[in-house]
């Protein structure tokens, strides 16, 4: 049997199982049937990088109406460029103009519901030139690029409602346009919001106090303009900082409540004896199904070095009050920088004596506290596992929607003396 005689339904099943977009686009050239079947899938996601040629390519796709109508997601990736290109002011201006021209016209993709914007993930430190002078051009270029992309979006008053918004590896600079109506319109309709930001090391603000600007971003701009109380439809929220936040700068979460929230990820968010972050989590006890704590320390502020609030207290509270939780993931990164994904072998809940602990080994000198917390961590993981098993047994045909989440494993009954306990996740 030749491919031309295959029923269209069979060919459609074949195309549905092809995930590679370049392969889907190649299939369009086979014949008219494959072209009709593959086109809707081949152009669902449009990609663009920080180069004029990439921006021009996206603009060409935008101007082809039949294909532009198929695009549902825009993905932006910032990549490293050689120093000579970065110093080419004419070329950099051309790149900015090209990006402005496409991001200011994203409404020409009328079906877009997802924006995935990921800026430079690594830490950028000032360098020294041949004359021994400080060269901060790299950080300046990354900040300018972020400004160009986001401000172009904010000014696009015709952009269709965005349901999934990812803003990764941002420089935590409090741009004034975050307070504009256009930015409020962008974030107020999302169902899924992910925000990750660099620490102060990536800030570029000549003549200004970078610590104050960075603190203002987390204390005022993010709670007020990113985490608006009006996002009642929000089902997924991820809030990540490479440099820990929560103790200093304080992150105000007291006024925030999302009645539909099912997934919550906190990265680098410091828990304290004031319980503000803890209360924010528990406030969603009737809906929260997944909780991810990624490198979130407990701040120790007592003079004798003992924590006033322990992870044992928090885990017991989560165990008792998070009645819908079926997936808990606790991770600890071992390096700094949003591009560094190395993690400890197990899962640890650690403590931090300084205000942020940035640049120091995570979890240092807190093993004795972790050992005391261990029974509460066992109870939390055990309760989550039991709840998940009950749901699997009772869901019947719907069990597959529950078992898609990572399984929760119990920690071992005993830990080796002198070693911090870990909770392996299998």
């Amino acid at each position: 049997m030749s491919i031309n005689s295959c029923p269209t339904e069979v060919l459609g099943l074949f195309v549905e199982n092809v995930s590679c977009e370049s392969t889907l686009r190649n299939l369009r050239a086979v014949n008219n049937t494959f072209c009709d079947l593959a086109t809707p899938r081949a152009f669902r996601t449009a990609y663009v990088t920080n180069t004029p040629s990439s921006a021009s390519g996206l603009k060409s796709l935008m101007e082809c109406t039949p294909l532009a109508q198929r695009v549902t997601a825009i993905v932006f990736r910032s990549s490293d460029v050689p120093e000579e290109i970065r110093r080419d002011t004419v070329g950099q201006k051309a790149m900015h103009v090209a990006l402005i021209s496409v991001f200011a016209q994203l409404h020409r993709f009328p079906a877009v519901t997802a924006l995935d914007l990921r800026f430079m993930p690594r830490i950028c430190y000032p360098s020294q030139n041949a004359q021994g002078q400080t060269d901060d051009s790299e950080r300046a270029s990354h900040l300018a690029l972020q400004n160009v992309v986001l401000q172009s979006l904010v000014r696009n008053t015709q952009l269709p409602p965005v349901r999934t918004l990812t803003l990764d590896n941002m420089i935590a600079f409090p741009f004034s346009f975050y307070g504009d109506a256009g930015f409020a319109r962008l974030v107020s309709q999302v169902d899924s919001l992910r925000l990750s930001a660099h620490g102060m090391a990536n800030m570029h603000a000549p003549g200004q106090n970078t610590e104050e600007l960075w603190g203002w971003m987390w204390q005022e701009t993010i709670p007020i303009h990113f985490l608006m109380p009006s996002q009642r439809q929000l089902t997924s929220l991820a809030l990540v900082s490479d440099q820990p936040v929560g103790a200093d700068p304080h992150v105000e979460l007291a006024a925030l409540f999302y009645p539909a929230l099912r997934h919550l990820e906190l990265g680098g968010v410091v828990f304290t004896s004031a319980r503000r972050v803890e209360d924010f989590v528990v406030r969603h006890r009737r809906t929260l199904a997944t909780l991810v704590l990624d490198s979130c320390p407990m701040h120790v502020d007592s003079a004798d070095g003992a924590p006033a609030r322990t992870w044992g207290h928090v885990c017991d509270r989560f165990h008792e009050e998070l009645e819908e939780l079926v997936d808990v993931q606790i991770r600890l990164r071992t390096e700094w920088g949003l591009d560094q994904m190395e993690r400890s072998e197990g899962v640890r809940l650690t403590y931090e004596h300084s205000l942020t602990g940035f640049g120091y080994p995570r979890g240092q000198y807190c093993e004795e506290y972790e050992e005391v917390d261990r029974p509460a961590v066992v109870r939390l993981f055990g309760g989550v596992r039991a709840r998940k098993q009950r749901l699997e047994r009772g869901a019947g045909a719907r069990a597959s929607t529950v078992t898609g989440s990572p399984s929760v494993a119990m920690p071992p009954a005993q830990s080796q003396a002198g070693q911090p306990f870990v909770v392996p996740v299998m």
Side-chain angles (χ1 to χ4, degrees):
M1 177 184 291
S2 71
I3 194 171
N4 293 326
S5 61
C6 284
T8 303
E9 292 79 7
V10 174
L11 297 179
L13 290 174
F14 170 77
V15 171
E16 286 178 6
N17 284 278
V18 177
S19 58
C20 176
E21 293 181 353
S22 62
T23 301
L24 287 166
R25 290 170 185 169
N26 289 334
L27 283 174
R28 297 175 68 244
V30 174
N31 56 35
N32 290 337
T33 301
F34 269 112
C35 184
D36 292 339
L37 293 171
T39 295
R41 292 172 54 83
F43 293 94
R44 286 191 299 188
T45 302
Y47 297 88
V48 62
T49 64
N50 53 321
T51 63
S53 60
S54 178
S56 297
L58 183 62
K59 189 172 183 180
S60 296
L61 178 60
M62 178 189 300
E63 293 171 348
C64 181
T65 301
L67 297 182
Q69 292 175 339
R70 303 290 188 180
V71 176
T72 61
I74 302 294
V75 175
F76 171 78
R77 294 290 183 268
S78 176
S79 59
D80 266 321
V81 295
E83 184 177 354
E84 59 271 18
I85 295 179
R86 192 173 66 247
R87 292 182 179 280
D88 178 7
T89 55
V90 175
Q92 288 294 294
K93 184 176 180 180
M95 182 263 291
H96 288 170
V97 169
L99 288 175
I100 290 171
S101 69
V102 294
F103 278 98
Q105 299 182 74
L106 285 188
H107 59 275
R108 297 178 66 178
F109 296 111
V112 162
T113 59
L115 293 178
D116 183 349
L117 312 179
R118 303 192 183 189
F119 301 95
M120 181 56 60
R122 63 179 175 80
I123 298 176
C124 299
Y125 294 105
S127 59
Q128 298 289 324
N129 61 22
Q131 291 73 37
Q133 299 171 323
T134 300
D135 181 1
D136 209 7
S137 61
E138 185 176 15
R139 294 196 303 184
S141 66
H142 292 316
L143 184 62
L145 177 62
Q146 181 176 311
N147 177 42
V148 162
V149 171
L150 293 179
Q151 193 164 185
S152 300
L153 280 174
V154 170
R155 292 180 174 177
N156 188 342
T157 59
Q158 303 176 65
L159 188 69
V162 174
R163 300 303 182 190
T164 301
L165 179 60
T166 298
L167 300 172
D168 267 340
N169 312 324
M170 294 179 63
I171 298 173
F173 189 95
F175 291 111
S176 60
F177 61 77
Y178 289 141
D180 292 352
F183 189 77
R185 182 174 56 252
L186 174 65
V187 300
S188 63
Q189 302 180 77
V190 298
D191 300 323
S192 176
L193 174 63
R194 176 178 175 82
L195 169 65
S196 68
H198 291 286
M200 282 188 289
N202 277 40
M203 289 285 285
H204 174 75
Q208 302 181 67
N209 188 317
T210 55
E211 183 174 357
E212 287 185 0
L213 290 171
W214 185 76
W216 183 264
M217 181 70 173
W218 281 103
Q219 291 178 186
E220 302 289 338
T221 304
I222 289 177
I224 294 173
H225 301 302
F226 285 76
L227 308 178
M228 337 175 34
S230 62
Q231 295 162 311
R232 298 185 61 82
Q233 76 287 348
L234 195 71
T235 60
S236 178
L237 173 64
L239 194 62
V240 178
S241 175
D242 187 40
Q243 181 169 336
V245 297
D248 183 22
H250 166 64
V251 182
E252 183 53 66
L253 301 174
L256 300 177
F257 173 62
Y258 308 105
L261 192 67
R262 298 285 293 167
H263 175 97
L264 176 62
E265 177 183 351
L266 300 175
V269 177
V270 181
F271 285 62
T272 70
S273 58
R275 309 187 190 186
R276 294 186 182 94
V277 178
E278 181 183 334
D279 288 345
F280 171 73
V281 176
V282 172
R283 198 174 300 135
H284 300 89
R285 59 186 175 274
R286 292 189 175 89
T287 60
L288 195 63
T290 302
L291 175 63
V292 180
L293 301 179
D294 190 342
S295 310
C296 293
M298 175 69 72
H299 180 55
V300 180
D301 55 4
S302 60
D304 60 0
R309 182 74 172 168
T310 69
W311 277 116
H313 297 141
V314 175
C315 287
D316 275 338
R317 187 181 181 192
F318 287 172
H319 171 58
E320 294 168 3
E321 300 193 41
L322 297 180
E323 57 197 54
E324 296 295 320
L325 195 65
V326 294
D327 182 17
V328 59
Q329 302 172 41
I330 301 173
R331 311 165 182 160
L332 182 68
R333 290 193 295 131
T334 56
E335 301 292 337
W336 300 95
L338 293 171
D339 60 332
Q340 301 296 326
M341 292 294 103
E342 292 85 354
R343 304 184 186 279
S344 61
E345 293 183 357
V347 178
R348 294 177 56 194
L349 290 167
T350 63
Y351 293 81
E352 182 54 60
H353 290 264
S354 70
L355 288 176
T356 69
F358 184 73
Y360 296 95
R362 289 183 170 96
Q364 194 175 38
Y365 310 128
C366 64
E367 290 84 353
E368 60 177 302
Y369 307 140
E370 295 182 52
E371 187 64 30
V372 174
D373 294 332
R374 191 171 192 285
V377 179
V378 171
R379 287 190 290 273
L380 173 62
F381 275 74
V384 169
R385 185 178 67 175
R387 184 180 299 111
K388 180 179 178 180
Q389 290 173 343
R390 288 195 300 270
L391 288 173
E392 289 174 344
R393 289 193 297 267
R398 298 190 303 274
S400 60
T401 63
V402 178
T403 56
S405 59
S407 60
V408 180
M410 292 286 288
Q414 299 291 334
S415 63
Q416 298 180 358
Q419 296 295 323
F421 73 84
V422 295
V423 182
V425 178
M426 300 173 9

